[in-house]
């Protein structure tokens, strides 16, 4: 991923800010999911890596913008200062714009090696999931809900869009590009839906119970911003139980794919037990 900036004619300081935001030690779960789904059906992982990097670039853009003072106003991310704290707000806005557009470019670049129709379909899934019907829409609803009481259904809709849509699209995109049939794509879609909710629930739990030295970000932020969260609506114990049921449902969705899907099944457990 380090080559993304070096290989392009990007103004030096902007390039440094992009690298700071992109290469700052995230878990890289979305590109991992994409590559795992792809490799269930095709062994040309090396050639598809730019598409996976594109997904991570889009995810990183969303974090940079989310951390801005006009949004969640966070000083720390991934164990260090947020992009706007280091490079200034205007530059962080541009870094986010750059990562989003670079992400689209990177995904499209694999059309030189894979069937362009499949690349277009997978790319459309990821872009749609990142836009107003998905992540941007979820972020909008999330900001609008600050300080309000939400029902569990309303909370779930926010997270299905904000967190779940891109996770699901990474899996579906990988399966499509790898050549998976419609039944397999559907299984991964269902797995992604459950994993996305599990991911958000554990994110909420980490905000309450996590160690900032391990998570790399401030804790108790949801309470400060008066955000509706699973622990706030259900309590911590019932939230943990809900997380377990999504973990099992995610694993069950992959049963038809057999042992080759074991890594993805194990990943659901990793998300359940994660401490960062
Ligand atoms: C600004 C359009 C726009 C969207 C922002 C992703 C997002 C929407 C906000 C991030 C806020 C947040 C904490 C969401 C909960 C789940 C989530 C996406 C956490 C961050 O993803 P990780 O844990 O991050 O995969 P790393 O650092 O590992 O890449």
């Amino acid at each position: 991923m380090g080559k993304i900036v070096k290989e392009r004619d990007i103004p030096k300081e902007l390039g440094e800010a992009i690298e700071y935001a992109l290469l700052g030690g995230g878990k890289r779960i979305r590109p991992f999911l994409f590559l795992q789904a792809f490799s269930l059906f095709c062994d040309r992982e090396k050639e598809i890596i730019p598409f996976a990097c594109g997904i991570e670039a889009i995810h990183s853009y969303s974090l940079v913008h989310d951390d801005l003072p006009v949004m969640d106003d966070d000083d720390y991310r991934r164990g260090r200062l947020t992009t706007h704290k280091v490079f200034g707000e205007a530059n962080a806005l541009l870094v986010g714009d750059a990562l989003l557009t670079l992400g689209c470019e990177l995904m499209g670049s694999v059309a030189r090696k894979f069937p362009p129709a499949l690349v277009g379909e997978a790319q459309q899934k990821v872009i749609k999931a990142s836009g107003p019907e998905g992540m941007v829409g979820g972020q909008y609803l999330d900001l609008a809900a600050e300080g309000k009481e939400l029902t569990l259904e309303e909370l779930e809709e926010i997270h299905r869009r904000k967190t779940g849509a891109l996770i699901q699209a990474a899996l579906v995109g990988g399966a499509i590009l790898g050549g998976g049939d419609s039944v397999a794509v559907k299984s991964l879609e269902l797995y992604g839906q459950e994993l996305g909710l599990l991911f958000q629930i554990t994110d909420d739990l980490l905000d309450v119970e996590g160690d900032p030295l391990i998570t790399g970000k401030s804790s108790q932020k949801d309470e400060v911003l008066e955000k509706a969260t699973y622990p706030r609506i259900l309590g911590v114990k019932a939230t943990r139980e809900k997380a377990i049921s999504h973990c099992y449902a995610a694993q069950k969705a992959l049963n038809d794919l057999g042992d080759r899907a074991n890594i993805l099944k194990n990943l659901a457990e990793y998300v359940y037990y994660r401490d960062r």
Side-chain angles (χ1 to χ4, degrees):
M1 220 153 51
K3 285 198 282 183
I4 292 172
V5 168
K6 288 181 185 58
E7 285 176 350
R8 287 173 172 76
D9 179 21
I10 296 174
K12 190 168 170 287
E13 291 76 14
L14 177 61
E16 283 165 9
I18 293 170
E19 285 190 332
Y20 183 87
L22 184 63
L23 308 176
K27 294 181 289 298
R28 302 193 181 160
I29 280 183
R30 294 153 193 82
F32 179 80
L33 290 170
F34 169 83
L35 287 171
Q36 282 301 319
F38 175 87
S39 60
L40 289 173
F41 312 104
C42 179
D43 61 7
R44 294 167 60 199
E45 290 98 347
K46 262 196 168 164
E47 295 166 72
I48 205 71
I49 281 175
F51 198 105
C53 294
I55 296 175
E56 182 66 7
I58 292 175
H59 163 64
S60 300
Y61 124 74
S62 79
L63 298 183
V64 173
H65 280 193
D66 183 68
D67 290 336
L68 283 168
V70 283
M71 298 232 177
D72 273 7
D73 192 12
D74 273 304
D75 292 352
Y76 292 95
R77 163 85 56 194
R78 297 170 170 170
R80 55 193 197 155
L81 288 169
T82 42
T83 305
H84 67 272
K85 280 279 159 193
V86 178
F87 298 95
E89 285 176 38
N91 289 333
L93 200 65
L94 291 172
V95 165
D97 296 340
L99 285 167
L100 174 59
T101 44
L102 274 172
C104 295
E105 183 199 317
L106 282 161
M107 289 190 292
S109 71
V110 301
R112 286 189 285 265
K113 295 186 176 167
F114 290 84
L118 287 188
V119 175
E121 196 184 339
Q123 199 180 18
Q124 209 225 352
K125 296 272 181 204
V126 175
I127 292 173
K128 202 172 155 84
S130 308
E133 289 177 75
M135 188 167 68
V136 171
Q139 180 75 349
Y140 172 83
L141 293 174
D142 192 36
L143 291 173
E146 276 176 16
K148 294 189 185 139
E149 298 287 326
L150 294 187
T151 63
L152 197 58
E153 290 71 31
E154 287 167 333
L155 183 67
E156 211 128 284
E157 192 203 339
I158 293 178
H159 297 317
R160 188 174 48 76
R161 292 175 189 268
K162 191 179 92 168
T163 311
L166 187 58
I167 286 178
Q168 198 174 27
L171 287 152
V172 169
I176 291 172
L177 268 169
D181 64 25
S182 60
V183 177
V185 171
K186 199 79 212 150
S187 299
L188 286 156
E189 193 176 354
L190 186 56
Y191 167 80
Q193 186 181 309
E194 297 295 334
L195 189 78
L197 286 173
L198 171 62
F199 195 85
Q200 180 62 49
I201 293 170
T202 51
D203 204 77
D204 282 2
L205 285 167
L206 283 173
D207 187 73
V208 181
E209 304 178 322
D211 179 349
L213 286 174
I214 299 175
T215 61
K217 55 187 179 183
S218 323
S219 60
Q220 314 289 339
K221 212 43 227 272
D222 293 333
E223 198 171 323
V224 173
L225 292 173
E226 292 183 40
K227 283 200 191 253
T229 63
Y230 288 94
R232 225 169 142 184
I233 295 179
L234 296 174
V236 169
K237 187 165 172 282
T239 301
R240 276 254 162 248
E241 283 160 11
K242 188 166 168 54
I244 291 174
S245 74
H246 285 293
C247 180
Y248 287 151
Q251 293 179 323
K252 189 167 164 230
L254 298 179
N255 278 348
D256 287 350
L257 291 167
D259 286 351
R260 62 198 171 130
N262 279 350
I263 292 179
L264 287 173
K265 284 187 177 176
N266 292 342
L267 186 94
E269 274 176 43
Y270 161 77
V271 171
Y272 175 75
Y273 286 112
R274 75 194 176 105
D275 59 4
R276 66 195 68 210

